[in-house]
Amino acid sequence: MTGEAPVTFLTQDAYDRLAAELEHLSTTGREEIAKRIEAAREEGDLKENGGYHAAKDEQGKQEARIRTLQQLLKDAKVGDAPQSTGVVESGTVVTAVVAGGEEVFLLGNREIAAGSELDVYSEASPLGAAILGLKEGEKTTYTAPNGREIAVEILKVETYSGQ
């Protein structure tokens, strides 16, 4: 692994949605959790206080989401999806034969396609890393986490339209 942080493509809509979520979690969300923890703390014995422990767990998850969003937005390249030139790159929709079955998916971050039926593979995933830079018609293989070699053929690369 290199020390460089990966650059993630985000549409302006996705960036705005994630920035709004970060703003909410960092302000109102933190205040709400703090109030719930304080209310549960006032109930007494913390060892056997399920409400307190649930609120603390939720606080941990929320703080993790805040850190994830901060990193994602800091390293994001915001703009329109790259215009397809028939080459697999971050932010393109790929139609490929993977392990004998045809799949259509977005190569990028799952946050881009939130609310979409489109499957998303990260560029850092074994499949994503194997096909990044390939052209339509090219074939490759990659090693799955279970050690199996999986064949891939790129059929089509399209511009992501947001659906």
Side-chain angles (χ1 to χ4, degrees):
M1 292 249 168
T2 64
E4 294 178 30
V7 175
T8 300
F9 158 75
L10 291 176
T11 62
Q12 188 64 54
D13 287 344
Y15 183 89
D16 292 345
R17 180 176 41 77
L18 295 172
E21 180 185 352
L22 176 60
E23 177 66 22
H24 171 76
L25 291 176
S26 298
T27 55
T28 309
R30 280 182 170 153
E31 292 169 11
E32 290 170 357
I33 289 285
K35 286 177 186 172
R36 287 183 37 210
I37 290 171
E38 187 57 35
R41 186 178 279 145
E42 290 173 2
E43 292 175 8
D45 186 11
L46 297 182
K47 248 197 271 185
E48 296 182 21
N49 187 329
Y52 173 80
H53 293 290
K56 289 295 282 182
D57 286 347
E58 189 175 330
Q59 180 185 40
K61 290 175 186 172
Q62 181 174 302
E63 290 300 319
R65 178 68 176 160
I66 287 170
R67 285 189 303 277
T68 299
L69 289 171
Q70 287 172 332
Q71 189 66 44
L72 179 64
L73 294 173
K74 183 179 94 143
D75 296 330
K77 177 183 175 199
V78 181
D80 294 330
Q83 292 300 308
S84 173
T85 59
V87 177
V88 177
E89 59 185 308
S90 180
T92 55
V93 176
V94 179
T95 304
V97 176
V98 181
E102 188 172 306
E103 291 189 37
V104 178
F105 56 90
L106 173 69
L107 187 66
N109 188 293
R110 67 183 165 86
E111 299 291 356
I112 302 168
S116 166
E117 295 293 317
L118 204 53
D119 288 333
V120 181
Y121 289 96
S122 165
E123 304 92 324
S125 69
L127 173 60
I131 65 171
L132 199 59
L134 293 183
K135 296 180 177 106
E136 291 176 352
E138 291 187 331
K139 298 177 182 181
T140 190
T141 61
Y142 72 95
T143 305
N146 65 5
R148 238 178 84 216
E149 282 294 311
I150 298 178
V152 181
E153 179 181 1
I154 306 301
L155 301 178
K156 186 162 65 170
V157 181
E158 302 172 279
T159 301
Y160 176 63
S161 63
Q163 276 82 36

